[in-house]
């Protein structure tokens, strides 16, 4: 488990993941990049999974959070209910909130499909080139709504991304290497920290771009 791993900033989960435990990322306070695989069951486990993390703050800003106790007044039926009934109502509320948080973790990047592709642990150079061919080179400059990242940020942060995929994306728009995200970091910073081969490919690409201009 990663609980209390305060230096953990991002996690790239394999698409084969089917289940995740309770509180597994609890208090990983730097964790701000996490997308659950679409095949995972949002109602199976994952209670308090991202409590006290940076990505949980993003989720709460989006209106999604864990709920533990039903709120009721003396006009509600629960005011007159037994302690057991109230306990069952709280359990039901909590389970439903877990599902909402997990669903959000699965889908919160759906509106940034190129970033989501760059995030995948199985991403290939062909997939990057095919996406650019189909959707146009302008998509390389898209900014995601949660992290202020361009796709090169995401790909450079991905330790599984092939260096030639990073080089291919850089070649489309070299200036993206110097773009700043919400943390004030460039793709070059992330490649340095997470993908050394990608950093070398980016430096070579920038040198070639400079000599070419």
């Amino acid at each position: 488990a990663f609980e209390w791993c305060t230096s953990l900033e991002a996690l790239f989960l394999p698409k084969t993941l089917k289940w995740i435990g309770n509180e597994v990322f609890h208090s990983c306070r730097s964790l701000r990049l996490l997308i659950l695989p679409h095949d995972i069951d949002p109602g199976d486990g994952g209670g308090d999974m991202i409590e006290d993390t940076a990505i949980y703050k993003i989720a709460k800003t989006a209106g999604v959070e864990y709920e533990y106790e039903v709120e009721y007044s003396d006009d509600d039926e629960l005011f007159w209910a037994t302690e057991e009934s109230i306990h069952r109502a709280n359990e039901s509320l909590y389970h439903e909130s877990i599902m909402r948080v997990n669903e959000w973790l699965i889908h919160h990047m759906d509106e940034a499909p190129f970033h989501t592709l760059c995030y995948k642990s199985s991403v290939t150079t062909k997939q990057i080139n095919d996406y650019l061919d189909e959707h146009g080179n302008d998509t390389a400059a898209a900014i995601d709504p949660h992290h202020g990242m361009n796709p090169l940020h995401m790909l450079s942060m991905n330790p599984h991304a092939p260096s030639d995929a990073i080089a291919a994306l850089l070649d489309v728009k070299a200036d993206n290497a110097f773009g700043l995200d919400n943390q004030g970091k460039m793709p070059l910073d992330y490649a340095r920290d997470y993908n050394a081969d990608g950093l070398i490919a980016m430096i070579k690409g920038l040198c070639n771009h400079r000599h070419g201009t």
Side-chain angles (χ1 to χ4, degrees):
F2 296 91
E3 188 177 4
W4 284 99
C5 183
T6 55
S7 62
L8 182 65
E9 189 174 22
L11 199 63
F12 296 81
L13 301 174
K15 63 181 181 180
T16 53
L17 183 71
K18 302 296 182 185
W19 179 86
I20 199 160
N22 295 334
E23 301 185 356
V24 67
F25 304 117
H26 195 294
S27 298
C28 294
R29 291 173 177 162
S30 298
L31 180 63
R32 59 189 179 90
L33 184 58
L34 176 69
I35 307 174
L36 294 185
H38 277 238
D39 291 339
I40 201 168
D41 182 356
D44 186 12
D48 281 358
M49 177 171 55
I50 57 168
E51 180 70 56
D52 196 18
T53 64
I55 197 167
Y56 187 48
K57 293 179 181 178
I58 297 173
K60 290 175 73 174
T61 299
V64 181
E65 61 184 298
Y66 299 117
E67 298 181 71
Y68 303 96
E69 292 185 358
V70 176
E71 295 183 3
Y72 57 89
S73 66
D74 54 8
D75 295 327
D76 297 327
E77 290 183 10
L78 278 178
F79 184 79
W80 308 102
T82 63
E83 185 174 333
E84 182 180 350
S85 296
I86 294 174
H87 178 70
R88 285 199 302 269
N90 287 338
E91 279 194 332
S92 177
L93 175 71
Y94 178 51
H95 182 69
E96 290 172 3
S97 74
I98 290 172
M99 290 189 65
R100 286 194 297 273
V101 172
N102 290 350
E103 284 278 6
W104 182 85
L105 285 169
I106 292 170
H107 295 291
H108 72 285
M109 289 292 288
D110 283 0
E111 60 188 280
F114 198 11
H115 293 74
T116 303
L117 172 62
C118 293
Y119 171 90
K120 290 182 177 179
S121 60
S122 57
V123 66
T124 65
T125 306
K126 183 179 186 304
Q127 289 174 330
I128 295 297
N129 286 327
D130 286 350
Y131 190 95
L132 290 167
D133 287 342
E134 181 178 352
H135 300 280
N137 289 347
D138 287 347
T139 57
I143 303 298
D144 88 274
H146 303 293
H147 310 95
M149 290 179 164
N150 64 50
L152 188 59
H153 279 107
M154 196 75 71
L155 196 63
S156 300
M157 200 177 195
N158 186 344
H160 309 286
S163 60
D164 52 354
I166 294 174
L169 185 52
L170 174 72
D171 189 53
V172 171
K173 189 172 175 58
D175 289 348
N176 281 347
F178 305 103
L180 300 178
D181 66 4
N182 291 349
Q183 301 295 310
K185 291 187 176 182
M186 302 180 294
L188 285 164
D189 296 319
Y190 290 125
R192 178 197 62 210
D193 295 339
Y194 294 99
N195 195 315
D197 289 341
L199 177 62
I200 294 171
M202 290 177 73
I203 292 172
K204 287 181 178 178
L206 289 170
C207 289
N208 290 338
H209 178 75
R210 181 179 180 183
H211 293 315
T213 56

